[in-house]
Amino acid sequence: MGTTLTSSESVTGTSDLREWLRSHARPIFDTHSNSVGSDIATLTERLGSATVVGLGESTRFSRQTFGLRERVFRVLVEEYGFRALAVQDSARSGERLDAYVRNGAGDPESVLAGAWRPTRTGEMAAALVWIREFNKEHPNDPVRIFGVEPPRAEPSDYDVVLDYVRQQAPDRLAAIESHLAPIRTAHQVDEHVQRHQGVHPGRPFIDDARDALALVENLPVTTEFENAQAHLRLIVEFHEKSVAGQGGFARDERPAADRVIEWQRDTGAKIAYWDGIAHTAALTLGDGPAETAEFRGTGSYLREHFGARYISVAIGFHHGDLGMAVAPEPRSDLVDAALGEVAVPAFYVDLHSDAPQSVQQWLHGPAKLRTISGIYDPVKDATAHTSVRSLLDAFDVLVHIRETSPVHWLPQETS
């Protein structure tokens, strides 16, 4: 086991591994999405043969990891016929994004205003503009966007409930509004992030959501009542299934995989799937910082369904500024530390490349990869990782970026 990820010495101290990485690493000269693709041609050719490609990031806060992911996506669209983008967001949000890139409905900032918060960035807005321009030039062969999550509550649902109560039971308005006002903020900053930042009001949001529902359910049953009740139940479900409501990041990801599988079956499109590496990994994950048991992500179901036609790419980084925190150099037991032995600003390595037995043991052994979420604390950097039982079974390609800088938040957003 000397060359697995079970000790710091095994990661950075094995000469065979260092030599293999250095000889098989293919430099990436630019992580910006508007660059030509010659330096990533071998990578995109490898991915172009897939039906679905999972492009997973180790963090949502890096301009470089997003930029490289988008750059790969553009080449897959232009040269390999990919025609769908699956994003970690609700079906409702995905429909708005799709309407913009297909028909120009709205503008990038307005359609992202109701999207999942980590996507409300200038980088994502630019990606939508590029897809929209591509679709203008290919009106009969457009790129589509869809959210992999089921429809979920949005701020407008709160307005529907409050408008109904204001008209039908004004004496209940103050009480119901007192429950909905604090929990509505979760659509701007997730509840678990509020707790991390020390701005949470204290009471679990799901309790307020359920109390609001109980108050509304005592009102007379009418057509308007049923509509308001449906919106409020969507609000309750939103908070029940949030990270804070569930007590962790793990969730049933089979429906998300089914959404991708059904889209591909119904349209025949090649699909790029954007998410975090814990979700795109093609293997059930082991214990991680927010997991109490094994977690089966979307990618594992996609590998089960598509086999080798699902390719999983992990895009990580070594260190740098993320806006909300500065990440130090990775701990020596992380894959990111081993990749850091390659002295180039950015590169990718195909894990299926020929390797000596000592490196094969590392590839097939357990691994930890740096992952940084919205509740990252550099003091607790040791907990910021995703664990897999086999690096090669989880990921086909690793992309490593030496230094990162923050994404650009859209107006009204902060890191």
Side-chain angles (χ1 to χ4, degrees):
M1 296 295 289
T3 54
T4 67
L5 291 176
T6 56
S7 71
S8 60
E9 180 181 3
S10 66
V11 175
T12 59
T14 303
S15 59
D16 287 351
L17 175 58
R18 288 199 300 269
E19 178 58 32
W20 182 80
L21 287 173
R22 290 168 181 166
S23 62
H24 287 80
R26 292 182 174 270
I28 297 171
F29 299 116
D30 200 337
T31 58
H32 296 305
S33 56
N34 58 356
S35 303
V36 295
S38 59
D39 57 329
I40 58 172
T42 302
L43 171 61
T44 51
E45 181 180 7
R46 167 94 161 87
L47 304 183
S49 63
T51 300
V52 178
V53 173
L55 295 169
E57 289 182 286
S58 64
T59 183
R60 316 280 186 176
F61 300 96
S62 166
R63 182 166 64 91
Q64 286 73 21
T65 61
F66 184 97
L68 192 279
R69 182 172 67 174
E70 190 198 349
R71 186 177 174 214
V72 169
F73 171 72
R74 291 189 181 189
V75 176
L76 292 178
V77 169
E78 293 181 322
E79 298 185 15
Y80 296 95
F82 278 64
R83 288 298 181 267
L85 174 61
V87 295
Q88 185 185 344
D89 209 337
S90 75
R92 295 170 74 180
S93 178
E95 289 171 359
R96 288 192 295 270
L97 301 181
D98 189 56
Y100 169 72
V101 299
R102 283 192 301 118
N103 306 318
D107 58 76
E109 289 75 15
S110 64
V111 298
L112 286 172
W116 185 44
R117 182 177 176 272
T119 65
R120 300 178 209 160
T121 65
E123 287 75 15
M124 186 63 181
L128 295 179
V129 169
W130 183 85
I131 298 172
R132 174 63 187 144
E133 292 303 312
F134 178 90
N135 287 347
K136 287 180 181 179
E137 297 174 4
H138 303 81
N140 298 319
D141 189 24
V143 174
R144 302 288 303 277
I145 300 180
F146 64 96
V148 299
E149 301 294 332
R152 64 186 181 206
E154 298 179 351
S156 59
D157 295 299
Y158 297 75
D159 295 331
V160 170
V161 174
L162 292 173
D163 287 345
Y164 164 76
V165 176
R166 187 176 293 109
Q167 295 172 13
Q168 301 297 325
D171 57 312
R172 299 282 185 90
L173 181 61
I176 293 174
E177 193 167 28
S178 70
H179 291 299
L180 295 185
I183 70 176
R184 184 173 182 153
T185 62
H187 297 273
Q188 186 70 15
V189 179
D190 290 333
E191 182 181 3
H192 69 285
V193 177
Q194 291 188 33
R195 289 193 182 279
H196 172 72
Q197 295 176 345
V199 298
H200 191 278
R203 192 172 193 236
F205 286 177
I206 183 54
D207 291 347
D208 275 310
R210 288 169 177 159
D211 285 349
L213 179 60
L215 288 171
V216 169
E217 286 182 333
N218 289 327
L219 299 178
V221 177
T222 64
T223 301
E224 293 80 7
F225 164 82
E226 292 175 352
N227 181 54
Q229 184 187 54
H231 285 272
L232 190 44
R233 284 178 174 167
L234 202 58
I235 292 169
V236 171
E237 182 182 45
F238 174 85
H239 293 287
E240 283 178 340
K241 295 184 176 180
S242 70
V243 172
Q246 294 185 134
F249 289 89
R251 65 181 189 272
D252 180 9
E253 301 218 342
R254 180 74 217 210
D258 287 343
R259 175 79 165 141
V260 176
I261 292 167
E262 290 166 4
W263 187 282
Q264 201 286 319
R265 180 195 63 209
D266 293 344
T267 67
K270 288 186 172 185
I271 301 171
Y273 166 41
W274 287 4
D275 212 326
I277 61 172
H279 306 285
T280 60
L283 181 69
T284 299
L285 305 187
D287 290 345
E291 312 299 339
T292 57
E294 287 191 335
F295 166 64
R296 187 168 187 186
T298 303
S300 69
Y301 293 105
L302 296 178
R303 175 58 57 81
E304 181 179 78
H305 181 84
F306 291 106
R309 293 184 297 124
Y310 174 69
I311 296 180
S312 175
V313 180
I315 306 173
F317 73 99
H318 192 264
H319 67 278
D321 187 1
L322 299 172
M324 50 73 167
V326 175
E329 293 189 359
R331 301 182 324 280
S332 58
D333 62 333
L334 298 183
V335 169
D336 311 80
L339 299 179
E341 294 287 313
V342 180
V344 295
F347 67 91
Y348 62 92
V349 59
D350 189 335
L351 298 185
H352 294 274
S353 303
D354 291 338
Q357 184 60 35
S358 58
V359 176
Q360 286 290 339
Q361 291 178 349
W362 180 77
L363 291 170
H364 289 280
K368 296 179 181 178
L369 297 88
R370 162 174 269 173
T371 50
I372 293 181
S373 70
I375 58 172
Y376 174 71
D377 183 348
V379 175
K380 300 178 181 178
D381 186 68
T383 67
H385 67 265
T386 290
S387 300
V388 295
R389 293 192 308 274
S390 167
L391 182 63
L392 184 58
D393 289 339
F395 305 105
D396 299 292
V397 177
L398 299 182
V399 177
H400 185 73
I401 295 168
R402 187 72 179 178
E403 186 170 3
T404 185
S405 57
V407 293
H408 299 92
W409 296 98
L410 291 175
Q412 308 303 316
E413 294 297 330
T414 60
S415 60

